[in-house]
Amino acid sequence: MSKIQNLELLVVGGGPAGLSAALAAANYGIKVSLTEEREFLGGQLIKQTHRFFGSEKEYAGTRGIDILKKLIDEVNKNNNIEVLLSSRVLGIYEDNIVTILNDHKMKKYYPQSIIFATGASEKFLAFENNDLPGIFGAGAVQTLMNVYGVLPATNVLMIGSGNIGLIVCYQLLQAGVKVAAIVEAAPKIGGYSVHASKLRRLGVPILTSHTIKKAIGKEKVEGAVICELDSNWNEVKGTEQLIKCDAICLSVGLTPLVDLLKQRKVKTTYVSELGGYVPLRDENMETSIKNLFVAGDVSGIEEATAAMIEGQIAGLSVAKRIGKNSKDEIEERIEEAKNELELLRSGPVGKKIRKGLSKLGLNHGKNYNEKFSEEALDISHLMKTGVPSEENLKNKLPSEEKVFDKGPIAISECFQRFPCDPCVKSCPFNAISENGNINNIPYVDFEKCTGCGICVSKCPGLAMFVIHKNFSETTSVVIMPYEFLPRPHKGEIVKVFDREGKYLCDGKVIRILDGKFQDKTAAVSIEIPKEYYLQARNFKVEEGNHG
């Protein structure tokens, strides 16, 4: 055992919350030791190839893996941060001594402050044969594919339609794996509607009010039996159906990793809306133990953007506490971060989080406008099926058909209130607006819109399209976002599909924008028969056209 090493700040966990916390404190002169049990930094960001929602200030529109590169680059350049990789915190004791296993040696530290950003673990699900090889957690599938480049299977059944389940399904499809279906026990989809809609356009069925009864197979998964649930969550007899698949992926929620906090006797309480047992804490992320802070999923399950802001608040709070200088400036930055967090949580999708936080006695000093937190449109059909209703579409399309005669115009198929603004920020003509609140649904001013197509590549939800109805006397052109390989060639004939993934017609690729600006979300112009311009929303490249 080595002698005790004094520290100003120990950050436990090198994911988005821990990295943000370390940087926030170190930028104000605090000496930080950042410990991560794995051999690399990043946490969940290392698996997140999709673009983030949220505000531009918090990296909205940037892919998780690119956010990680920026954070790590900042950490590596900061002389106040010492990174301890492959370092597992084994214990924290009543005298605040922390023991860390590093390089086969047990080391002891005595930090003035600690920020725990230990994240969360995946929940599991009880069903017959759930121990067969071929049953994965969603995090394991992401790790296999996006960290180690290994395909988990060829045909996957996803259980759970939260954002993680929907995102992993999309990534499976990008990797060439078939997704047999998404099974969701609740009567509505758990994740953002834009994630669900892009899967439906790719032909993936989403079965709400369904559950898995058992896995089928002898040596490994060969299929699954699913069934319907009634309004009381009871199985509906006679509705069993066999789904053929060679893997079952479980995405049924996360629970905060509070083991070390409990060891230190931090007060915790069970809050189902936040994922399970969470630490009691104040608005500066400080727990019931003075100088012991939390940030990210360990304080309650939310999106990575919220985790990064919480990390900033915790890191800044430590900097203010240790107080080398700039206390007023730090306080100002803390307030800015709190306001940003409040804005992210103020829409309908933040309702569950707000309810959970209120059980901890937290409302960040303000009352949310619950009237605003309701959906602007009735999206019940969309949230049950992943497909917008005719009424939803009517609200976003031009009220007069003659608007299409002016030339190409952008169409937003984003119908749900959630914090996101890259389409608004990307428009050089100020034609897209959310009326001053990031949680509002974006609407297009068709008079200002030129149909330039910039928003098509910038929308993280792939919900922006450009329609040029009168491209010729008999044809229209629809510009669609495309994130698959191989890319189509100009002049190529492709299969065109509607919002449910049903074949509509053949289309001709007439233009592809796929440069650095598009950042791997190509904007592909497809010429189609004019009768389909309101239905055509996806296309597939024919196999064999890319020899």
Side-chain angles (χ1 to χ4, degrees), residues 160-162 183-191 206-210 233 348-349 351 375 379-386 416:
S161 69
V183 171
E184 170 59 58
K188 66 178 186 179
I189 293 164
I206 300 178
L207 305 172
T208 50
S209 295
H210 279 71
W233 297 64
V349 298
K351 202 169 187 175
E375 293 289 358
I379 57 170
S380 53
H381 182 267
L382 172 63
M383 296 310 294
K384 183 175 177 60
T385 64
Q416 185 182 27

Side-chain angles (χ1 to χ4, degrees), residues 350-422:
K351 202 169 187 175
K352 182 178 172 185
I353 299 300
R354 296 198 301 274
K355 186 177 179 182
L357 292 173
S358 69
K359 291 182 177 179
L360 297 178
L362 298 172
N363 68 0
H364 292 276
K366 297 178 183 177
N367 293 316
Y368 289 99
N369 183 347
E370 291 301 328
K371 186 178 179 182
F372 173 78
S373 73
E374 300 299 325
E375 293 289 358
L377 305 174
D378 176 3
I379 57 170
S380 53
H381 182 267
L382 172 63
M383 296 310 294
K384 183 175 177 60
T385 64
V387 180
S389 67
E390 291 297 323
E391 195 63 28
N392 293 157
L393 292 168
K394 195 183 297 182
N395 267 288
K396 303 301 286 288
L397 292 170
S399 57
E400 296 181 13
E401 185 70 19
K402 65 180 182 182
V403 173
F404 285 109
D405 294 337
K406 75 187 278 282
I409 54 172
I411 299 294
S412 165
E413 299 208 355
C414 181
F415 307 97
Q416 185 182 27
R417 278 180 167 172
F418 63 92
C420 188
D421 66 5

Side-chain angles (χ1 to χ4, degrees), residues 19 68 75 89 321 405 409 440 522:
L19 290 167
L68 174 61
V75 165
V89 175
R321 178 73 54 81
D405 294 337
I409 54 172
N440 267 325

Side-chain angles (χ1 to χ4, degrees), residues 171-207:
Q171 292 175 350
L172 283 163
L173 293 168
Q174 287 180 303
V177 177
K178 182 182 176 185
V179 177
I182 300 170
V183 171
E184 170 59 58
K188 66 178 186 179
I189 293 164
Y192 292 165
S193 63
V194 287
H195 283 316
S197 291
K198 67 188 183 187
L199 289 167
R200 288 304 312 270
R201 295 197 295 267
L202 288 161
V204 176
I206 300 178
L207 305 172

Side-chain angles (χ1 to χ4, degrees), residues 25-205:
N27 286 339
Y28 282 96
I30 306 301
K31 295 292 184 183
V32 181
S33 291
L34 172 62
T35 179
E36 165 59 48
E37 67 177 350
R38 290 184 290 189
E39 64 273 25
F40 48 80
L41 295 172
Q44 299 306 305
L45 285 178
I46 202 166
K47 311 171 189 177
Q48 293 175 348
T49 56
H50 61 284
R51 285 199 172 113
F52 272 37
F53 298 108
S55 70
E56 192 178 45
K57 185 179 176 184
E58 300 299 336
Y59 305 108
T62 306
R63 298 181 188 282
I65 50 176
D66 293 327
I67 295 172
L68 174 61
K69 289 174 187 170
K70 291 179 181 179
L71 292 175
I72 289 179
D73 188 46
E74 286 184 48
V75 165
N76 288 337
K77 288 178 180 174
N78 197 311
N79 293 328
N80 289 328
I81 300 176
E82 172 197 32
V83 177
L84 304 171
L85 296 177
S86 304
S87 299
R88 177 170 295 181
V89 175
L90 297 181
I92 172 171
Y93 305 98
E94 291 189 8
D95 55 4
N96 279 342
I97 299 293
V98 178
T99 55
I100 298 178
L101 183 64
N102 172 262
D103 195 24
H104 305 292
K105 294 177 182 175
M106 189 79 81
K107 300 177 180 177
K108 297 170 75 174
Y109 297 87
Y110 183 58
Q112 288 184 48
S113 294
I114 307 173
I115 297 174
F116 277 96
T118 46
S121 61
E122 287 187 279
K123 294 178 180 175
F124 202 62
L125 194 64
F127 57 89
E128 188 176 339
N129 291 335
N130 69 357
D131 58 346
L132 274 177
I135 296 176
F136 298 89
V141 167
Q142 272 193 311
T143 301
L144 281 172
M145 285 195 305
N146 300 348
V147 179
Y148 298 109
V150 176
L151 291 182
T154 61
N155 186 8
V156 173
L157 175 66
M158 177 64 70
I159 310 297
S161 69
N163 275 334
I164 295 175
L166 298 175
I167 288 168
V168 171
C169 282
Y170 188 71
Q171 292 175 350
L172 283 163
L173 293 168
Q174 287 180 303
V177 177
K178 182 182 176 185
V179 177
I182 300 170
V183 171
E184 170 59 58
K188 66 178 186 179
I189 293 164
Y192 292 165
S193 63
V194 287
H195 283 316
S197 291
K198 67 188 183 187
L199 289 167
R200 288 304 312 270
R201 295 197 295 267
L202 288 161
V204 176

Side-chain angles (χ1 to χ4, degrees), residues 7 148 165 182 274 331 434:
L7 301 175
Y148 298 109
I182 300 170
L274 300 180
E331 184 59 41
E434 292 175 310

Side-chain angles (χ1 to χ4, degrees), residues 162-449:
N163 275 334
I164 295 175
L166 298 175
I167 288 168
V168 171
C169 282
Y170 188 71
Q171 292 175 350
L172 283 163
L173 293 168
Q174 287 180 303
V177 177
K178 182 182 176 185
V179 177
I182 300 170
V183 171
E184 170 59 58
K188 66 178 186 179
I189 293 164
Y192 292 165
S193 63
V194 287
H195 283 316
S197 291
K198 67 188 183 187
L199 289 167
R200 288 304 312 270
R201 295 197 295 267
L202 288 161
V204 176
I206 300 178
L207 305 172
T208 50
S209 295
H210 279 71
T211 191
I212 182 170
K213 287 191 70 170
K214 63 180 178 180
I216 303 294
K218 293 182 179 177
E219 302 296 326
K220 60 183 181 63
V221 169
E222 297 171 9
V225 174
I226 66 170
C227 70
E228 284 185 43
L229 296 175
D230 64 20
S231 57
N232 295 315
W233 297 64
N234 296 316
E235 294 179 13
V236 179
K237 290 184 178 177
T239 61
E240 293 85 356
Q241 59 176 303
L242 174 66
I243 303 286
K244 288 188 177 180
C245 59
D246 58 357
I248 297 168
C249 184
L250 303 178
S251 180
V252 291
L254 303 172
T255 193
L257 275 171
V258 296
D259 306 63
L260 286 167
L261 297 174
K262 286 186 173 180
Q263 188 183 51
R264 182 61 183 87
K265 295 185 171 52
V266 170
K267 291 180 181 176
T268 61
T269 187
Y270 187 86
V271 182
S272 60
E273 292 85 356
L274 300 180
Y277 280 96
V278 293
L280 296 179
R281 59 174 175 82
D282 64 17
E283 293 175 354
N284 294 319
M285 310 305 295
E286 189 170 20
T287 67
S288 58
I289 303 292
K290 190 173 181 180
N291 293 323
L292 199 160
F293 296 76
V294 289
D297 279 350
V298 70
S299 63
I301 306 302
E302 279 190 80
E303 296 294 314
T305 303
M308 288 188 282
I309 299 175
E310 286 188 343
Q312 292 168 18
I313 293 172
L316 290 167
S317 298
V318 170
K320 184 184 171 188
R321 178 73 54 81
I322 293 177
K324 292 186 175 178
N325 50 41
S326 309
K327 280 197 173 182
D328 289 342
E329 182 183 317
I330 294 172
E331 184 59 41
E332 192 176 320
R333 286 204 55 201
I334 290 173
E335 288 306 310
E336 285 176 7
K338 287 178 180 175
N339 290 336
E340 186 78 8
L341 204 51
E342 180 188 327
L343 190 61
L344 287 175
R345 291 168 173 162
S346 63
V349 298
K351 202 169 187 175
K352 182 178 172 185
I353 299 300
R354 296 198 301 274
K355 186 177 179 182
L357 292 173
S358 69
K359 291 182 177 179
L360 297 178
L362 298 172
N363 68 0
H364 292 276
K366 297 178 183 177
N367 293 316
Y368 289 99
N369 183 347
E370 291 301 328
K371 186 178 179 182
F372 173 78
S373 73
E374 300 299 325
E375 293 289 358
L377 305 174
D378 176 3
I379 57 170
S380 53
H381 182 267
L382 172 63
M383 296 310 294
K384 183 175 177 60
T385 64
V387 180
S389 67
E390 291 297 323
E391 195 63 28
N392 293 157
L393 292 168
K394 195 183 297 182
N395 267 288
K396 303 301 286 288
L397 292 170
S399 57
E400 296 181 13
E401 185 70 19
K402 65 180 182 182
V403 173
F404 285 109
D405 294 337
K406 75 187 278 282
I409 54 172
I411 299 294
S412 165
E413 299 208 355
C414 181
F415 307 97
Q416 185 182 27
R417 278 180 167 172
F418 63 92
C420 188
D421 66 5
C423 64
V424 175
K425 299 293 185 186
S426 70
C427 181
F429 306 101
N430 296 317
I432 308 175
S433 171
E434 292 175 310
N435 289 324
N437 190 308
I438 194 173
N439 283 281
N440 267 325
I441 302 170
Y443 281 92
V444 179
D445 183 335
F446 300 114
E447 291 300 318
K448 293 181 180 177
C449 180

